[in-house]
Amino acid sequence: MAELEDNVAIPEFSNLVQMDPYLKPFEKDFKRRYEQLQKQLSKLEETEGGYDQFTQSYKSFGVHRQPDNSLHFREWAPAAEALFLTGDFNAWDKFTHPYTKQEFGKWELILPPKHDNSPAVDHNSKLKVVVHTEEGERLYRISPWAKYVTRDEKSVIYDWVHWDPPNPYTQIHPRPKKPKGLRIYEAHVGIASPERKGCHVHQLHHQRAASYKRRRLQLFFAASSRYGTPEELKQMIDVAHSMGIVVLLDVVHSHASQNTEDGLNHFDGSDSCFFHSPPRGEHKLWDSRLFNYSSWEVLRFLLSNLRWWMDEYGFDGFRFDGVTSMLYHHHGMGAGFSGDYSEYFGLQVDEDSLVYLMLANHILHTLYPDCITVAEDVSGMPALCRGVEEGGLGFDYRLAMAIPDKWIQILKECKDEDWDIGNIVHTLTNRRYGEKCIAYAESHDQALVGDKTLAFWLMDKEMYTNMSSLTPMTPVIDRGIQLHKMIRLLTHGLGGEGYLNFIGNEFGHPEWLDFPREGNDQSYHYARRQFNLLDMGNLRYHQLFVFDRDMNLTEDKYGWLAAPPAFVSAKHEEDKVIVFERGRVLFIFNFNASKSFQDYRVAVETPGTYKIKLDSDEHLYGGHGRLNHNTEFFTEAHGFNGRQNSIKVYIPCRTAIVLANEEIDYCY
């Protein structure tokens, strides 16, 4: 192995080392990972005809109707003694339809068509795999390859429903191209309605998607049969594509439920099958099972799962959940991740799962050049978001998860006058150069019951009584409205190469998110988003929404997300002022609670005439209208704070402004 490591060459590893020389001592680790990836690709070529064929295994496993209307069933259950198929089609007889055992733990069954030449199993009927174990147990299981599972309202167990519609939906709109700057609208279909009941996917066609008909805004959610059928989901994605909206799926390949009757756990009666045997195969903190990424059939299942979502449904990419847990044997538990590079290499790294992620990203980006992959990682693993040809893991973006934590910490623990401006800027800019991040002030994690959204931390109970724009703002509402806008804009402009907002937070949604459960008497009260608040123009929720809309429209024009990282010229602790340039746009923030500054000198590199393009203090955004938008700011050849030029501006307290050079032709 050592000899192979010395001989293997990563095509563009020099790029990685040039960008970060501290990675040079770990070259052997990168070589070993890259070599394992190449070995997997070679094995796929030799044994499966390549990854293209291998990842289309969803076309042969599970159940498939053949041209003659016979049904072909295939499963992988290596520890099973026998397999049978039961369901509505045979009056739930447990023994009449046995599978035939094949090599490598596979089982097959062919059902000829009925006398009228229709398939033996009707569309929308229920099925189960009956697994007989060596110990004599009889287990009822759902096929891991099932296309559709549903649950009766009074049941806790899901059913396998045979999905073979006579008129499947055909998508007609092509996928949009990968955007340069990613703006994600993280939505959950089930809460997309103001009604006190679960939302349906077809309702989303007429809900928020229409309000965000922008070419660089993405929709981001998880699929569930609770909110519609497979065909309705395909239609929803098609409608999104018609609007130029890219749709990403939240995919969980990091772990799986402990469920047995409707999960993968103990599918064939063994404690492994898709997972490592305990203790390695158990996540104690999450009470879940951990995949065995060294297993050939597990690779087949997971990689085909990604391909299925892309091919069958037309998704445009994925947010990979729990990547930190996958990367390390300790799963991130008890690990502080100080930034010492030794934390990212060595025996604590789970290279089986790391190579799986490299393989998944390589396949996805090769087959679908516009595919977008996002990693949920808090560890800061180097090269996570660099191409596999450089030795990286191949993700496009990682979530900047420290940013929302920082905002919540500040609002919980600090008085306004004690805000540490330097620390805020550090948190927003503390990311690996050359690796893209998605910044966000709050996501579903902050909106869930047990936590509070930014709006609730800022305004609390007054959100229920003092949000009318027809009455004077109370001090609490005034502070909350202004800071809510400033926090979002600062995160948007400084925090990453992408921006994420959770459904409803763009207008300061007044309530948290909680799904019906025993603890709340199965209530839908918090399982909804009150978009009806936006229809009432006299509410300040509407003002917050209009600011969010114009913030994104301004980015759409000037494209700062696609620009290199910002140059921060000022982070003044006493004044509470932050100034930075990004993409030839000038951002100025005055977080001071009471002090406004006249003729405040700010640095700028490019000479010319600047004008205000976005102003959080405008009346239509719930501000106080203290700035004249006809004002032109002319640069002076007065070097300041590391820039060649500067201008003087008036910046009111608790105000953020975006200025652009009128003499530059912006082409994004």
Side-chain angles (χ1 to χ4, degrees):
M1 177 64 76
E3 185 179 345
L4 288 171
E5 288 176 8
D6 291 338
N7 292 334
V8 72
I10 307 174
E12 299 176 25
F13 183 67
S14 58
N15 294 348
L16 199 58
V17 176
Q18 186 175 4
M19 187 178 65
D20 187 352
Y22 290 104
L23 293 177
K24 181 65 176 175
F26 303 100
E27 184 173 4
K28 281 194 173 183
D29 294 86
F30 282 102
K31 284 184 176 181
R32 185 175 60 254
R33 298 170 182 181
Y34 186 76
E35 180 191 24
Q36 290 179 19
L37 171 67
Q38 294 305 314
K39 280 184 175 180
Q40 291 284 43
L41 290 171
S42 296
K43 284 175 65 178
L44 286 170
E45 196 67 42
E46 294 169 9
T47 61
E48 301 281 348
Y51 61 75
D52 187 23
Q53 287 291 108
F54 186 66
T55 57
Q56 293 186 72
S57 294
Y58 67 86
K59 294 181 178 179
S60 57
F61 279 76
V63 54
H64 297 276
R65 179 155 53 95
Q66 305 303 307
D68 64 354
N69 273 352
S70 63
L71 294 177
H72 182 261
F73 294 79
R74 177 183 286 176
E75 299 295 344
W76 177 64
E81 182 71 20
L83 251 63
F84 295 85
L85 183 70
T86 187
D88 293 334
F89 78 102
N90 67 358
W92 295 94
D93 193 297
K94 297 179 285 293
F95 302 106
T96 56
H97 291 82
Y99 285 73
T100 301
K101 190 171 186 177
Q102 309 292 322
E103 59 181 353
F104 307 119
K106 298 181 177 69
W107 300 80
E108 292 187 351
L109 167 64
I110 296 175
L111 295 184
K114 300 176 186 175
H115 295 302
D116 62 0
N117 204 42
S118 63
V121 180
D122 295 333
H123 165 62
N124 230 11
S125 60
K126 294 180 180 180
L127 294 168
K128 284 277 190 181
V129 175
V130 184
V131 179
H132 288 253
T133 70
E134 293 181 352
E135 291 75 23
E137 291 182 287
R138 184 187 303 155
L139 310 173
Y140 294 87
R141 297 289 187 253
I142 289 176
S143 168
W145 303 83
K147 296 183 178 73
Y148 190 45
V149 295
T150 64
R151 178 176 65 87
D152 292 334
E153 189 173 340
K154 295 182 179 180
S155 174
V156 296
I157 303 297
Y158 279 84
D159 295 309
W160 173 17
V161 175
H162 178 54
W163 192 256
D164 186 21
N167 298 301
Y169 183 82
T170 302
Q171 294 172 318
I172 59 176
H173 296 99
R175 287 189 174 97
K177 293 294 183 182
K178 181 187 294 188
K180 292 181 180 178
L182 195 65
R183 297 205 306 271
I184 296 176
Y185 191 67
E186 185 189 31
H188 191 293
V189 175
I191 63 167
S193 167
E195 300 177 33
R196 298 194 185 199
K197 62 180 182 179
C199 187
H200 201 275
V201 290
H202 70 76
Q203 291 175 264
L204 209 62
H205 301 175
H206 312 291
Q207 292 280 354
R208 291 301 93 197
S211 298
Y212 283 86
K213 190 179 177 183
R214 302 302 304 168
R215 62 187 174 91
R216 289 181 182 170
L217 191 81
Q218 279 67 43
L219 188 67
F220 189 13
F221 73 107
S224 172
S225 61
R226 291 188 292 269
Y227 314 118
T229 67
E231 306 312 302
E232 288 167 330
L233 177 55
K234 293 174 187 177
Q235 183 182 13
M236 194 211 75
I237 294 170
D238 201 23
V239 170
H241 287 170
S242 74
M243 298 177 176
I245 297 175
V246 172
V247 187
L248 308 180
L249 178 70
D250 190 5
V251 68
V252 184
H253 283 188
S254 51
H255 64 132
S257 161
Q258 289 270 18
N259 293 14
T260 53
E261 289 192 53
D262 55 5
L264 296 174
N265 193 20
H266 288 258
F267 174 71
D268 64 353
S270 71
D271 64 0
S272 53
C273 196
F274 289 94
F275 311 107
H276 288 291
S277 296
R280 185 179 177 185
E282 293 181 329
H283 196 299
K284 298 296 185 183
L285 188 63
W286 293 349
D287 189 30
S288 58
R289 298 302 311 271
L290 299 172
F291 288 106
N292 179 2
Y293 303 102
S294 63
S295 165
W296 194 253
E297 293 304 320
V298 172
L299 289 180
R300 184 195 305 277
F301 176 69
L302 294 176
L303 293 172
S304 296
N305 178 249
L306 297 174
R307 188 78 187 269
W308 181 63
W309 289 118
M310 295 292 288
D311 290 349
E312 292 293 301
Y313 287 88
F315 280 100
D316 303 287
F318 305 96
R319 169 196 180 265
F320 281 73
D321 180 87
V323 167
T324 304
S325 175
M326 297 176 70
L327 293 176
Y328 309 96
H329 290 296
H330 54 62
H331 308 300
M333 294 184 289
F337 297 113
S338 65
D340 188 318
Y341 276 40
S342 63
E343 296 170 342
Y344 306 118
F345 304 94
L347 296 178
Q348 67 266 34
V349 176
D350 187 338
E351 291 200 343
D352 288 340
S353 56
L354 185 147
V355 172
Y356 164 71
L357 292 171
M358 294 175 70
L359 187 62
N361 276 308
H362 172 70
I363 292 171
L364 286 170
H365 288 104
T366 304
L367 293 173
Y368 315 95
D370 287 314
C371 178
I372 299 167
T373 58
V374 180
E376 186 197 35
D377 171 50
V378 298
S379 74
M381 166 74 76
L384 184 80
C385 299
R386 301 299 296 186
V388 296
E389 69 280 356
E390 295 179 307
L393 272 69
F395 284 100
D396 295 289
Y397 299 87
R398 66 154 44 90
L399 290 174
M401 301 174 72
I403 295 175
D405 291 342
K406 173 58 65 177
W407 286 125
I408 296 299
Q409 178 201 355
I410 290 170
L411 296 178
K412 285 173 66 174
E413 300 176 3
C414 299
K415 298 177 181 178
D416 291 3
E417 59 268 25
D418 295 333
W419 283 26
D420 187 334
I421 295 298
N423 185 253
I424 292 171
V425 171
H426 173 75
T427 302
L428 287 164
T429 57
N430 184 27
R431 55 187 184 272
R432 295 193 176 279
Y433 181 79
E435 298 194 43
K436 295 179 180 178
C437 283
I438 292 174
Y440 55 103
E442 52 190 339
S443 70
H444 66 276
D445 288 327
Q446 286 72 43
L448 288 168
V449 67
D451 205 338
K452 292 182 182 180
T453 62
L454 287 177
F456 221 84
W457 279 113
L458 286 163
M459 295 174 278
D460 205 70
K461 61 184 179 182
E462 288 200 26
M463 297 184 72
Y464 297 114
T465 56
N466 297 327
M467 287 295 278
S468 171
S469 59
L470 302 179
T471 60
M473 281 191 287
T474 66
V476 168
I477 295 297
D478 190 6
R479 172 181 178 268
I481 291 287
Q482 311 320 325
L483 289 181
H484 198 273
K485 292 177 291 184
M486 295 179 71
I487 288 171
R488 283 180 286 152
L489 180 59
L490 183 59
T491 303
H492 204 307
L494 192 59
E497 291 68 38
Y499 177 77
L500 179 146
N501 173 79
F502 181 65
I503 180 172
N505 290 349
E506 71 276 11
F507 61 89
H509 198 278
E511 291 179 339
W512 53 85
L513 165 64
D514 191 17
F515 292 103
R517 55 187 175 85
E518 286 186 15
N520 62 17
D521 295 325
Q522 304 298 328
S523 171
Y524 279 90
H525 179 78
Y526 296 110
R528 59 194 178 114
R529 297 281 94 174
Q530 299 178 61
F531 294 112
N532 52 297
L533 296 173
L534 299 179
D535 299 328
M536 295 177 248
N538 63 331
L539 292 182
R540 301 193 191 280
Y541 298 109
H542 181 76
Q543 295 172 334
L544 290 172
F545 171 77
V546 173
F547 174 78
D548 196 274
R549 180 199 65 192
D550 289 354
M551 175 177 69
N552 282 294
L553 289 174
T554 306
E555 195 285 325
D556 203 44
K557 180 177 181 180
Y558 297 106
W560 60 71
L561 287 173
F567 180 90
V568 181
S569 60
K571 40 185 177 180
H572 200 291
E573 294 296 344
E574 185 177 348
D575 294 346
K576 302 301 180 191
V577 169
I578 299 172
V579 181
F580 62 90
E581 296 162 89
R582 189 172 185 194
R584 298 183 180 178
V585 180
L586 179 63
F587 293 80
I588 305 170
F589 292 79
N590 179 7
F591 280 97
N592 203 298
S594 57
K595 284 186 181 180
S596 298
F597 299 101
Q598 193 77 37
D599 292 332
Y600 198 89
R601 187 175 293 279
V602 299
V604 63
E605 183 66 18
T606 307
T609 305
Y610 287 75
K611 291 197 72 172
I612 295 172
K613 300 301 176 183
L614 185 65
D615 167 20
S616 71
D617 197 47
E618 276 200 75
H619 284 300
L620 77 159
Y621 306 145
H624 301 285
R626 291 167 287 183
L627 290 168
N628 182 356
H629 287 207
N630 293 320
T631 303
E632 293 182 328
F633 302 92
F634 302 98
T635 57
E636 303 174 34
H638 179 111
F640 187 65
N641 284 356
R643 307 308 259 172
Q644 296 187 50
N645 301 281
S646 58
I647 59 176
K648 289 184 177 181
V649 296
Y650 168 52
I651 42 174
C653 60
R654 284 186 181 146
T655 294
I657 53 177
V658 176
L659 285 73
N661 193 327
E662 291 287 285
E663 300 170 23
I664 297 175
D665 182 21
Y666 291 89
C667 298
Y668 291 97

